[in-house]
Amino acid sequence: MKTFTWSLLTVSSSILSASSFSFSPPPASKKTAADLSKIPIVICPGFGNDAIDYTNPLDQGEEYGFVNALIKRGFNPDLIQVLPLKRYEWIRVAGGLFDIPNFYTMTCTPEGLGYGWYIKRLRRTIEDLHQKSGGERCLLVGHSAGGWLARACLGDGSWNVEQINNNNANISEDNTARAVDRVRALVTLGAVHKPPEKEFEATCVTRGALKYLNSEYPGAFLSNEGISYVSVGGDAIVGKEKQQQKEVAGADDEEKIGSEQVNVVYKDRGEGSASSVAYTSYAAVSGIGELTGDGVVPLEWTLLEGSKTIVLDGVLHFINEAGTTLPTDKWYGSDAVLDRWLQPTIQYCILDEAGIKGGNKKNEQQSNIFDSIQKMLSL
């Protein structure tokens, strides 16, 4: 038995030595949290939104803004950039009407007349912030339509620096970089990531641009190159068809019917309830109204294939109750909600990337081997 034990120890020692293992406890990490002040953030507004919606929502004051909530968590205000955008500029989407025949054959592309202006501006904003931060990779936060447009901005991963500012610039190896050199992660909040169900595809408001995006650059397309993807969706309102002369809310979905205040508004306007308004919106996005979601986008449509997905109960689409001017503190970017998706995002996209994790894979492997040896010696 002594001979067997000595032989086993000798073999075990050789294996561990050859694998460069050590049983001494790992040194404590000097870096236990990300330095958020160095991470540039670009916020990509949703359809119809103005940059001010993310800084001073509904003129309530900057203390209620998404940007201020990020600053409170340690991000540098000088490195937070909302895509410069005025509400009236969204009329440019109507330029897609002149994208003939694509607009009428549902074959538009994201960089066509309807949305190409947004994508080009977003690339320019990312490039400027990348340079301003001293070469740091940006964290993109795409809200609503800004989520799929940010995916389109990343495209196939090629990044032509000269063409960002000059349409006539020639493409060459000298002025082409990779998106991964500029962007570390894309987080989408209540974004639409797929067109309506097949039988309803003709109703897609992007006129084929979203379908093209999913065909050419599906899911977390650049994750293998080092860009992380996180998609966040709210589960707050169940869509139900409007029913005249009945109670605004049924007992079956008491927790997903909207606030009493907003339901009174909808009822007074003859729109039914938050559930019926959500039904109409969900049907426009997906073709199906009886789904659950954030009141504007159905949950299933907000979760990008291949990404880290985060579902937030009770979270609404934006700064106001859908279709009203009633402010809410239950939207993705509010101070009360932000940490529910930001903390897991930081862990997934920043700390894990830097190797700052809850455990140490190498030491876990060593521990497993050591446990196995102990069991063998006890036989």
Side-chain angles (χ1 to χ4, degrees), residues 78-158:
D78 293 331
L79 295 180
I80 302 174
Q81 176 67 65
V82 183
L83 183 70
L85 189 62
K86 294 296 183 182
R87 211 175 310 280
Y88 65 80
E89 290 188 89
W90 286 102
I91 192 66
R92 299 178 67 172
V93 172
L97 289 165
F98 304 99
D99 191 357
I100 301 173
N102 297 326
F103 183 88
Y104 303 94
T105 58
M106 299 292 291
T107 54
C108 287
T109 65
E111 297 196 50
L113 294 177
Y115 300 100
W117 61 276
Y118 184 109
I119 292 172
K120 182 177 179 181
R121 187 177 303 179
L122 179 53
R123 286 175 178 159
R124 185 184 305 125
T125 301
I126 294 170
E127 184 67 25
D128 289 346
L129 199 57
H130 171 70
Q131 297 298 333
K132 182 179 180 179
S133 68
E136 292 287 337
R137 297 161 67 207
C138 297
L139 174 63
L140 301 189
V141 180
H143 171 243
S144 196
W148 75 263
L149 286 168
R151 287 175 55 207
C153 170
L154 296 176
D156 66 357
S158 61

Side-chain angles (χ1 to χ4, degrees), residues 33-214:
D35 186 357
L36 302 182
S37 67
K38 294 182 179 180
I39 298 173
I41 295 183
V42 178
I43 299 171
C44 316
F47 184 83
N49 290 127
D50 188 298
I52 199 172
D53 295 336
Y54 303 87
T55 57
N56 185 8
L58 300 175
D59 202 27
Q60 297 178 90
E62 292 186 358
E63 63 269 27
Y64 292 96
F66 180 30
V67 169
N68 185 62
L70 290 169
I71 293 171
K72 287 170 63 177
R73 269 78 179 171
F75 290 95
N76 185 343
D78 293 331
L79 295 180
I80 302 174
Q81 176 67 65
V82 183
L83 183 70
L85 189 62
K86 294 296 183 182
R87 211 175 310 280
Y88 65 80
E89 290 188 89
W90 286 102
I91 192 66
R92 299 178 67 172
V93 172
L97 289 165
F98 304 99
D99 191 357
I100 301 173
N102 297 326
F103 183 88
Y104 303 94
T105 58
M106 299 292 291
T107 54
C108 287
T109 65
E111 297 196 50
L113 294 177
Y115 300 100
W117 61 276
Y118 184 109
I119 292 172
K120 182 177 179 181
R121 187 177 303 179
L122 179 53
R123 286 175 178 159
R124 185 184 305 125
T125 301
I126 294 170
E127 184 67 25
D128 289 346
L129 199 57
H130 171 70
Q131 297 298 333
K132 182 179 180 179
S133 68
E136 292 287 337
R137 297 161 67 207
C138 297
L139 174 63
L140 301 189
V141 180
H143 171 243
S144 196
W148 75 263
L149 286 168
R151 287 175 55 207
C153 170
L154 296 176
D156 66 357
S158 61
W159 202 269
N160 190 272
V161 178
E162 295 299 327
Q163 282 194 326
I164 289 174
N165 296 305
N166 182 2
N167 285 331
N168 298 318
N170 295 321
I171 298 177
S172 69
E173 291 185 2
D174 293 336
N175 58 28
T176 299
R178 297 298 295 172
V180 69
D181 296 327
R182 269 66 177 165
V183 176
R184 71 167 62 236
L186 167 61
V187 184
T188 63
L189 310 174
V192 180
H193 284 303
K194 60 180 181 177
E197 295 286 6
K198 193 163 187 178
E199 60 268 36
F200 304 105
E201 278 186 355
T203 65
C204 182
V205 295
T206 71
R207 308 303 293 176
L210 189 51
K211 182 179 180 180
Y212 175 92
L213 176 64
N214 284 352

Side-chain angles (χ1 to χ4, degrees), residues 71-375:
I71 293 171
K72 287 170 63 177
R73 269 78 179 171
F75 290 95
N76 185 343
D78 293 331
L79 295 180
I80 302 174
Q81 176 67 65
V82 183
L83 183 70
L85 189 62
K86 294 296 183 182
R87 211 175 310 280
Y88 65 80
E89 290 188 89
W90 286 102
I91 192 66
R92 299 178 67 172
V93 172
L97 289 165
F98 304 99
D99 191 357
I100 301 173
N102 297 326
F103 183 88
Y104 303 94
T105 58
M106 299 292 291
T107 54
C108 287
T109 65
E111 297 196 50
L113 294 177
Y115 300 100
W117 61 276
Y118 184 109
I119 292 172
K120 182 177 179 181
R121 187 177 303 179
L122 179 53
R123 286 175 178 159
R124 185 184 305 125
T125 301
I126 294 170
E127 184 67 25
D128 289 346
L129 199 57
H130 171 70
Q131 297 298 333
K132 182 179 180 179
S133 68
E136 292 287 337
R137 297 161 67 207
C138 297
L139 174 63
L140 301 189
V141 180
H143 171 243
S144 196
W148 75 263
L149 286 168
R151 287 175 55 207
C153 170
L154 296 176
D156 66 357
S158 61
W159 202 269
N160 190 272
V161 178
E162 295 299 327
Q163 282 194 326
I164 289 174
N165 296 305
N166 182 2
N167 285 331
N168 298 318
N170 295 321
I171 298 177
S172 69
E173 291 185 2
D174 293 336
N175 58 28
T176 299
R178 297 298 295 172
V180 69
D181 296 327
R182 269 66 177 165
V183 176
R184 71 167 62 236
L186 167 61
V187 184
T188 63
L189 310 174
V192 180
H193 284 303
K194 60 180 181 177
E197 295 286 6
K198 193 163 187 178
E199 60 268 36
F200 304 105
E201 278 186 355
T203 65
C204 182
V205 295
T206 71
R207 308 303 293 176
L210 189 51
K211 182 179 180 180
Y212 175 92
L213 176 64
N214 284 352
S215 172
E216 297 299 312
Y217 317 120
F221 188 71
L222 298 174
S223 59
N224 288 339
E225 290 195 24
I227 295 180
S228 300
Y229 291 76
V230 178
S231 54
V232 185
D235 185 4
I237 306 290
V238 172
K240 286 189 174 182
E241 281 192 273
K242 176 183 173 183
Q243 296 182 14
Q244 296 288 357
Q245 308 304 322
K246 292 192 176 182
E247 295 294 328
V248 293
D252 293 340
D253 298 302
E254 291 183 356
E255 296 181 357
K256 297 183 181 182
I257 59 175
S259 68
E260 181 179 353
Q261 183 183 19
V262 76
N263 276 313
V264 169
V265 171
Y266 290 139
K267 188 177 183 180
D268 290 345
R269 295 195 320 201
E271 296 174 317
S273 66
S275 291
S276 58
V277 171
Y279 178 95
T280 301
S281 183
Y282 297 164
V285 171
S286 68
I288 306 169
E290 293 182 348
L291 297 170
T292 186
D294 61 14
V296 174
V297 181
L299 177 61
E300 181 182 341
W301 265 251
T302 66
L303 305 179
L304 179 66
E305 184 177 356
S307 72
K308 176 179 178 60
T309 59
I310 300 174
V311 177
L312 303 178
D313 292 339
V315 172
L316 298 172
H317 191 73
F318 199 34
I319 57 175
N320 54 291
E321 300 271 6
T324 76
T325 56
L326 296 174
T328 177
D329 62 354
K330 296 180 180 179
W331 86 280
Y332 300 103
S334 68
D335 193 54
V337 172
L338 181 59
D339 289 325
R340 292 169 62 187
W341 62 263
L342 181 61
Q343 290 302 322
T345 293
I346 291 172
Q347 181 66 53
Y348 179 71
C349 300
I350 301 172
L351 298 183
D352 285 359
E353 179 186 90
I356 308 169
K357 306 181 182 181
N360 184 294
K361 189 172 182 181
K362 179 177 179 181
N363 282 283
E364 287 175 4
Q365 186 178 8
Q366 294 176 7
S367 179
N368 290 337
I369 292 177
F370 187 58
D371 288 343
S372 297
I373 293 172
Q374 284 185 315
K375 288 179 182 178

